[in-house]
Amino acid sequence: MKHRYILLLVAIITFSPLLAKDILVEAESFEQKGGWAVDQQFMDLMGSPYLIAHGMGTPVADAVTEITIPEAGTYHVYVRTYNWTSPWHRGEGPGKFVLRIGNKKLNTVLGTKGSAWMWQSAGSVKLRAGKTKLAIHDLSGFDGRCDAIYLTTEKEPVLPETAEELAAFRRSKLHLPSEVPVAGQYDLVVVGAGIAGMSAAVSAARLGCKVALINDRPVVGGNNSSEIRVHLGGNIEIGKYKELGGLQKEFGPSRGGNAQPAEIYEDAKKMEWLSGEDNLALFINCRVVAVEKEGDRIVSVIGRHIETGKEVKFVAPLFVDCTGDGTVGYLAGAHYRMGREGKDEFGESRAPDKPDLLTMGASVQWYSTETDKPAAFPDFNYGVTFNDRTCEKVTLGEWTWETGMNKHQIYDFEQVRDYGMLVIYANWSYLKNRLKDNAPFRNRRLGWVAYVAGKRESRRLLGDYILKEGDMTKHVVHEDASFTASWSIDLHSPDPENGRNFPGNEFKAVTEHTLIYPYEVPYRCLYSRNVANLFMAGRNISVTHVALGSVRVMRTTGMMGEVVGMAASLCKKYNVGPRGIYWHHLEELKALMQKGVNRKGLPNNQRYNEAGMLNERPMIQ
């Protein structure tokens, strides 16, 4: 018996980590965010959103939450964070922050070391059992980021690193249920509430479908929201079906322009418009992270709340991918393309000789404001150096500030966005602190810098037809003609002068317009060729890279959404999939497109030319 007790004691000592007490706190779940913002843009790769201290050089207010310490003891604290300037600068980064637990400040500065997302030790602290406050205290305002905080009585815990390990760790420590509850059953689930998704959801709802509209941000409107601030390009009320686009007269902002004050984009107007629709349920702050399939059909999508981490399931016979990145299609195994086709494949004059992975980039827009006295800005030099010749002597940056054309717009997108912020801060710092003649900038301060990047191109899901340059320039007539594209073929490429100054690290773009006559795009571009119940609307439809240059603007994508909503209502009526509408019910779809679903008699003050300003005269039909 004595030997058994000795063996048991040895076992307890050997496996003492099993008795350790611990707490995992996801930063995005903090009760009070203070000045920190939830950033979900990269959670498909990280498995989780994070908090970002986006203060444009001014420290933001603390994020604070209450935690429960399971028992008194010494806790070792680890923070999952990232030195975001590390791709360009080997030294310490600018995203500095510290933690406070109860009335104790941990002195370790976080977010400045390493070259990847990592667990960084924040030190140790003695804590009493019970409730206490946990705070993240920003020190710089330069986009420090905090993913998760782990407190444990174990001295040297083995912490997860891979996506799979992190997912299992989170599920275990947060006690997430293995079964995902069902949010509801719908006739149509629309994922992504940009202009395309909003239009698809309302179009279907007004035609009798019960619709769920899922969006992974707290505001709707996508690139036209106050988070990104891009004008609505393209024209409505043109072409064969002049009622298409009429919904935009109900919710579209009355003013235009890029990189303007937040109120220009009228977020509240869009939200109120959606909230007033019968048959439509809006789920904001919800990111679709998985799909469930039976054969070649999606049966449900699983959404995860970007703050609480709670998952819900949406069941429907039909789905619409309006994510821009083609996320639902990708998760469902839909065929897709990315990059540029070679010239020979479709005979496109603007295609390169050989196919490649170059895409149009993403824009981090910004502007400054005038003050009545000199405004200081911290010195910011983290790998991109300016001089009087190479600096950009401007007070705002809109679409031409574009990064990532030679990067993967999904797998590298955090770096793409970060480089956009890096060059803004570095250039502004040079104008404020080193430019010899900086009088025009002396009394100016940064008024707004986006941290949600405006993306132009990534995955393009393939349908029964792939729209190409010749369809537009030769004005080919298709029997299933639907919405009208009016924007020129507008393909962005790296600015040569900027490339000479910053070889391989361009952050400015140029474009060349190929003018087209308004052209109706085939309905067959709006549904997947191999996922039987998946529609798509937005910049992820079935087009070549060259054709995307025309159809990607938001007034055009809104019309796509309306067509998809109409087709979905016919799918419900006849119990068929999207392809079945083309095969058997095309004339009825044409009748719906002719009639429209918009409220009649509203003025159209939404005609934009290529510069994004209001036109005095309508476009030639």
Side-chain angles (χ1 to χ4, degrees):
M1 185 66 71
K2 181 178 180 181
H3 293 296
R4 289 184 182 179
Y5 283 122
I6 293 174
L7 289 172
L8 179 60
L9 181 60
V10 170
I12 291 173
I13 295 172
T14 303
F15 296 100
S16 59
L18 296 177
L19 304 179
K21 299 297 181 181
D22 60 6
I23 312 165
L24 176 66
V25 184
E26 291 283 1
E28 66 272 13
S29 71
F30 268 49
E31 297 161 352
Q32 302 170 39
K33 305 297 192 298
W36 294 72
V38 177
D39 193 346
Q40 93 310 333
Q41 296 172 85
F42 323 107
M43 63 182 287
D44 289 351
L45 304 179
M46 296 182 53
S48 171
Y50 57 80
L51 288 185
I52 185 170
H54 189 60
M56 299 177 293
T58 299
V60 305
D62 291 359
V64 181
T65 197
E66 188 175 71
I67 60 174
T68 301
I69 305 302
E71 67 177 40
T74 298
Y75 284 80
H76 308 281
V77 185
Y78 297 86
V79 177
R80 193 160 186 262
T81 184
Y82 175 44
N83 172 17
W84 68 273
T85 59
S86 60
W88 308 279
H89 177 69
R90 291 189 177 182
E92 290 192 348
K96 305 175 182 179
F97 65 97
V98 295
L99 295 185
R100 287 197 178 102
I101 304 177
N103 59 359
K104 300 168 185 176
K105 175 184 173 183
L106 301 184
N107 292 322
T108 302
V109 176
L110 304 162
T112 65
K113 298 178 180 179
S115 59
W117 278 96
M118 58 180 279
W119 290 99
Q120 183 179 349
S121 172
S124 301
V125 60
K126 290 184 178 180
L127 297 172
R128 296 178 179 176
K131 296 185 181 299
T132 190
K133 295 289 185 182
L134 173 62
I136 313 173
H137 179 66
D138 179 34
L139 298 174
S140 70
F142 279 126
D143 300 279
R145 48 204 69 177
C146 180
D147 176 30
I149 302 165
Y150 182 56
L151 298 86
T152 177
T153 56
E154 185 180 352
K155 285 188 176 180
E156 295 182 357
V158 177
L159 296 171
E161 291 296 343
T162 69
E164 294 77 13
E165 291 171 347
L166 284 163
F169 184 71
R170 287 187 172 107
R171 189 163 291 279
S172 170
K173 299 300 181 184
L174 299 175
H175 307 292
L176 298 176
S178 57
E179 290 293 323
V180 179
V182 176
Q185 293 195 354
Y186 298 88
D187 298 317
L188 180 69
V189 172
V190 182
V191 184
I195 303 304
M198 293 170 62
S199 300
V202 171
S203 175
R206 289 187 181 178
L207 291 170
C209 293
K210 182 182 179 183
V211 181
L213 176 59
I214 306 170
N215 196 52
D216 65 358
R217 295 299 301 164
V219 299
V220 297
N223 280 347
N224 186 240
S225 72
S226 64
E227 294 187 317
I228 303 174
R229 308 190 188 184
V230 179
H231 68 83
L232 296 180
N235 287 270
I236 60 173
E237 294 189 328
I238 60 172
K240 189 173 184 178
Y241 301 106
K242 290 183 171 54
E243 291 300 320
L244 290 181
L247 288 181
Q248 296 173 45
K249 295 189 291 184
E250 300 178 23
F251 69 79
S254 58
R255 291 176 286 177
N258 296 324
Q260 299 295 308
E263 61 269 18
I264 296 292
Y265 304 92
E266 300 187 56
D267 292 346
K269 178 181 179 181
K270 298 185 183 83
M271 291 288 282
E272 290 169 5
W273 182 72
L274 291 171
S275 299
E277 285 296 324
D278 294 333
N279 297 329
L280 194 158
L282 175 63
F283 297 85
I284 59 172
N285 291 324
C286 185
R287 175 85 164 212
V288 168
V289 295
V291 304
E292 295 177 330
K293 288 181 68 182
E294 291 180 0
D296 63 352
R297 301 177 62 85
I298 301 171
V299 295
S300 66
V301 297
I302 296 173
R304 181 179 299 151
H305 196 282
I306 68 170
E307 293 185 358
T308 67
K310 292 181 179 178
E311 294 181 344
V312 289
K313 182 184 297 187
F314 300 85
V315 180
L318 295 164
F319 297 83
V320 190
D321 189 333
C322 297
T323 62
D325 281 338
T327 302
V328 177
Y330 173 76
L331 292 171
H335 296 163
Y336 72 93
R337 289 187 173 191
M338 204 163 171
R340 304 190 297 180
E341 291 84 359
K343 192 182 297 291
D344 291 343
E345 184 172 4
F346 294 106
E348 296 178 306
S349 65
R350 293 198 59 178
D353 290 337
K354 300 293 182 183
D356 59 34
L357 295 177
L358 193 75
T359 65
M360 289 180 280
S363 289
V364 175
Q365 299 189 127
W366 63 277
Y367 62 74
S368 63
T369 57
E370 185 76 20
T371 66
D372 57 3
K373 59 184 178 180
F377 188 78
D379 183 59
F380 188 97
N381 190 357
Y382 291 90
V384 177
T385 302
F386 290 91
N387 56 43
D388 279 19
R389 180 183 63 82
T390 61
C391 70
E392 297 285 333
K393 301 179 182 67
V394 294
T395 59
L396 85 164
E398 47 170 301
W399 72 265
T400 57
W401 289 64
E402 184 173 342
T403 57
M405 286 173 272
N406 56 355
K407 296 285 186 182
H408 197 288
Q409 287 286 327
I410 295 172
Y411 300 142
D412 299 327
F413 195 55
E414 187 173 19
Q415 188 179 130
V416 170
R417 188 280 309 269
D418 287 350
Y419 188 60
M421 295 194 302
L422 178 84
V423 294
I424 292 168
Y425 296 146
N427 183 72
W428 191 248
S429 177
Y430 186 85
L431 297 179
K432 298 289 291 183
N433 300 316
R434 290 184 173 81
L435 182 64
K436 292 177 182 177
D437 183 14
N438 73 345
F441 309 101
R442 197 169 299 145
N443 287 8
R444 299 191 73 89
R445 63 174 181 83
L446 284 180
W448 173 75
V449 177
Y451 72 91
V452 181
K455 193 183 295 191
R456 290 175 179 82
E457 179 179 8
S458 54
R459 300 186 189 103
R460 305 186 302 279
L461 304 178
L462 300 182
D464 279 349
Y465 191 85
I466 300 175
L467 186 73
K468 54 191 177 297
E469 178 185 17
D471 290 313
M472 296 179 148
T473 58
K474 297 177 182 178
H475 209 70
V476 177
V477 177
H478 293 277
E479 64 172 343
D480 58 335
S482 62
F483 68 93
T484 299
S486 59
W487 199 260
S488 66
I489 299 176
D490 174 10
L491 296 172
H492 295 199
S493 58
D495 183 317
E497 182 179 357
N498 189 249
R500 286 190 290 271
N501 292 332
F502 303 92
N505 285 296
E506 302 90 349
F507 59 87
K508 298 292 293 296
V510 294
T511 188
E512 177 184 347
H513 293 277
T514 299
L515 297 179
I516 62 168
Y517 288 104
Y519 167 74
E520 284 83 29
V521 177
Y523 164 71
R524 286 166 291 162
C525 296
L526 299 177
Y527 60 85
S528 171
R529 71 185 188 185
N530 71 304
V531 179
N533 59 339
L534 178 64
F535 288 103
M536 52 266 193
R539 60 179 175 81
N540 58 358
I541 69 167
S542 183
V543 297
T544 65
H545 166 82
V546 172
L548 181 66
S550 175
V551 303
R552 62 184 172 81
V553 294
M554 283 181 279
R555 289 214 166 275
T556 304
T557 63
M559 290 190 284
M560 297 177 199
E562 289 186 25
V563 174
V564 162
M566 294 169 183
S569 73
L570 296 178
C571 289
K572 177 186 177 183
K573 180 178 180 180
Y574 294 108
N575 193 28
V576 297
R579 183 179 287 118
I581 302 304
Y582 172 66
W583 281 353
H584 304 296
H585 306 287
L586 188 57
E587 292 306 313
E588 195 164 348
L589 176 61
K590 291 178 181 179
L592 288 175
M593 292 190 291
Q594 193 72 45
K595 182 179 180 181
V597 293
N598 53 297
R599 300 187 179 100
K600 310 304 179 186
L602 296 177
N604 177 13
N605 61 348
Q606 306 297 329
R607 296 186 182 276
Y608 288 93
N609 65 16
E610 300 285 30
M613 305 302 291
L614 290 173
N615 281 335
E616 295 297 327
R617 294 175 296 180
M619 184 175 179
I620 297 173
Q621 302 289 309

